[in-house]
Amino acid sequence: MIDSIYVEEAVADHPRTRAIVQRYPKSRVVECDSYTAIFNRRQQNFRVQKSRPALILAHKPGPRLHPVPADQHLGAAHNFYFSHLLNCPFDCRYCFLQGMFSSANYVLFVNYEAFVDDIRAQSRECDGLAHYFSGYDCDSLALEPLTGFAEHFVSEFAQIDNAVLELRTKSIQVRSLLAQPAHEHCVVAMSLAPAPVIARFEHGTPGLEQRIGALRRLQLHGWPIGLRFDPLLVFAGGEVVYREFFEQVFAALDPDGIHSVTLGGLRLPREFAKRMVRLYPDEALFAGAFDDTGGVRTAAGSDSLLRTALAALRRHAPAAPVFLQHAMDDSETPAAR
Amino acid sequence: MTVQLNFVTALPSEARPLIDHFRLGQQHRTNGITWYANDTIRLAVSGVGKSASAFAVGVLSGMSHARTRALWLNVGIAGHRDAALGSIGIAHRIDDLATAQVYYPGIVFNAPCESSRVACFDRPTTSYDGDALCDMESAAFFAAATRTSGVEFAHVLKIVSDNSAEHLTMLNRQIISDLIRGQIEVIAAVADELLHLASRVAVKPRAESSTTALEQRWHFSVTQALQLHELQRRWMLLRPDSAWPPTDLTTCANANEVIERLGHVVDSAVLRIDAR
């Protein structure tokens, strides 16, 4: 339920705005000049807002596409991310958005057509494959019934020869994908974690079996799927839990039909980490030892866990392209592709 | 962290029903502000206008302990083009008509009444601003209150006292008090929602004295004392079953050694995710 919808004057008459407002007839609708007046203001309480986020409907001016850091690439020649949505209905305690944004409200940029125009133009300029990541600042599918994002973008990407859209998600809102023919221009990349990690840290998210079930349906339907094991969390008994977890995941999925696997430990920009501790001072996840290098805090012990994970992946899905998204601190790092 | 609910009204007649309902006792005037209080609630009568309201917020803030979560409610009468007399609205947007500043209180609870835009005038008016509730304090009240609190913890409640059919000149103290009294249950419900909200994000009070024994035995500089408190916080989270302070510190020669030894223990502790 959305109690408050803020609408930028510039998009008040946009058909997508009207449809969303109609969907929530009981919500209070508040007009605003700019989404930043609500989203970026000072003296907000992220934690309070998280319990009842408001929705802000806005226009995204350019630039709408941003380059992706090299360590986040998945093998394509060109890599960009874009954010049609800021924030997420899930409440994962390790999520960096808590440290990045001062507001937990959702901002939905309704000018999808402008994003698609930019993606078409950018792809024309690219010599080779271009990956477009949609889930950096949000969960790509979690608000699908509200946003219709995948429904709109996935069919657009089908028409761009050298473009691939990554939908990064923990959601099982895959109905719109199962209702259309699969194609190679969209990868559904599911973030997965062992059940005890989900129960403790990923509040409000679908369980592991539900996520695996959604992936299985997508795979059977022909969609390329990605597996995102990021962050791997260090905890007592974690190595055993993760080994069993990888067995569970790969027992249910066809290892030959996996587009990509990514791995990373818990790492946060230093300033984000500080804000998250202030937000949740009672959270043990942030109380352990962190290595602080180059402005990034990485949970101590992550490298050992990553090695365990890489070994498990080699065993369960030897053909799957694996990408480490986190530099390990020794030269014995097993090669990832 | 303690919670303090602060009411600010412009007029004594607006304050009277709140004083009666919440059983507030009159306090000594402070910096020219008349105020009332019980253990958890304060009410200041600010006088009319933006400056007066902001000043009252400042006075109440100045009386609060630094580790206080302040909740703020501005309650008063307002005009509206066509809303029924006695109806109540909570502000979801406040327009300061003199400065063109706009504020957006964050309503993150079940509001027991309709919400509305509030237009804040510098002078009394009968030329109502569209469908807004029209008052003379809300903008400055909100701007001042959110300096000490979050936008989710400061709210403006306005009761319609005049509209295009019933003019301001008809108002007197008794009528104003009756208008507020007529919505006292709604006002109390908003106060309860705010208190509930504050309790949900309350941080468990740190055991202030639990580093005292260490600080009595060794001399900690201010920086070292902060490090010690931080180590204690992390210890409690990572080693909830181990006694604090640990007894094996007795061989430490100085505060530096204490911090080093505690740091080593805390840094080597591993997160347990079955602890809750």
Side-chain angles (χ1 to χ4, degrees), chain B residues 7-15 18 43-50 52-53 56 73-77 135-137 158 176:
Chain B
F7 285 99
V8 176
T9 68
L11 305 170
S13 49
E14 291 169 330
L18 299 169
L43 182 151
V45 181
S46 66
V48 174
K50 290 193 297 187
S53 190
L73 276 174
N74 171 223
V75 177
I77 56 170
D135 85 331
M136 294 177 61
E137 290 83 29
K158 294 292 167 184
I176 292 170

Side-chain angles (χ1 to χ4, degrees), chain B residues 1-2 61 63-69 148:
Chain B
M1 183 173 277
T2 55
S61 294
M63 290 191 283
S64 297
H65 187 274
R67 290 179 58 80
T68 299
R69 163 87 64 203
T148 64

Side-chain angles (χ1 to χ4, degrees), chain A residues 318-336:
Chain A
V322 179
F323 299 89
L324 264 182
Q325 307 238 295
H326 157 175
M328 291 168 71
D329 66 0
D330 66 36
S331 57
E332 294 174 20
T333 303

Side-chain angles (χ1 to χ4, degrees), chain B residues 57-117:
Chain B
V57 170
V59 170
L60 289 185
S61 294
M63 290 191 283
S64 297
H65 187 274
R67 290 179 58 80
T68 299
R69 163 87 64 203
L71 312 173
W72 297 93
L73 276 174
N74 171 223
V75 177
I77 56 170
H80 191 280
R81 185 184 56 200
D82 50 21
L85 297 187
S87 60
I88 186 168
I90 184 167
H92 58 225
R93 168 178 166 143
I94 300 165
D95 287 33
D96 187 330
L97 298 182
T99 65
Q101 277 280 342
V102 182
Y103 305 93
Y104 301 92
I107 306 172
V108 284
F109 50 83
N110 286 325
C113 59
E114 291 293 311
S115 70
S116 173
R117 186 168 71 89

Side-chain angles (χ1 to χ4, degrees), chain B residues 170-183:
Chain B
M170 313 284 284
L171 289 176
N172 60 38
R173 287 177 196 161
Q174 187 59 50
I175 291 173
I176 292 170
S177 288
D178 287 347
L179 286 168
I180 303 290
R181 196 170 285 112
Q183 292 292 355

Side-chain angles (χ1 to χ4, degrees), chain A residues 3-4 6 9 28-34 37-38 41-49 51-53 105 196-197 200-201 203 233-237 277-290 300, chain B residues 69 90 92-93 100 102-111 113 115 142 145-153 193 197 200-204 230 233-235 237-238 266-276:
Chain A
D3 291 332
S4 299
Y6 297 92
E9 283 171 22
R28 67 179 68 87
V29 178
V30 183
E31 204 167 86
C32 62
D33 291 339
S34 164
I38 295 139
R41 61 189 163 173
R42 291 179 170 201
Q43 297 291 82
Q44 301 188 78
N45 190 307
F46 190 99
R47 207 167 151 175
V48 165
Q49 288 182 2
S51 63
R52 291 176 98 123
N105 292 329
V197 171
R200 172 73 186 269
F201 298 116
H203 308 301
L233 299 181
V234 179
F235 56 90
V277 171
R278 279 200 296 272
L279 207 51
Y280 294 100
D282 298 334
E283 176 52 66
L285 181 62
F286 308 127
F290 279 76
Chain B
R69 163 87 64 203
I90 184 167
H92 58 225
R93 168 178 166 143
V102 182
Y103 305 93
Y104 301 92
I107 306 172
V108 284
F109 50 83
N110 286 325
C113 59
S115 70
F142 189 79
T146 52
R147 290 295 294 260
T148 64
S149 194
V151 294
E152 297 82 14
F153 298 111
E193 291 281 359
L197 202 61
R200 278 192 4 231
V201 291
V203 176
K204 284 181 205 158
E230 176 61 4
R233 183 188 71 83
R234 293 176 58 204
W235 178 292
L237 292 170
L238 293 169
V266 171
D267 281 345
S268 58
V270 182
L271 174 70
R272 285 170 23 201
I273 67 170
D274 55 350
R276 288 180 183 178

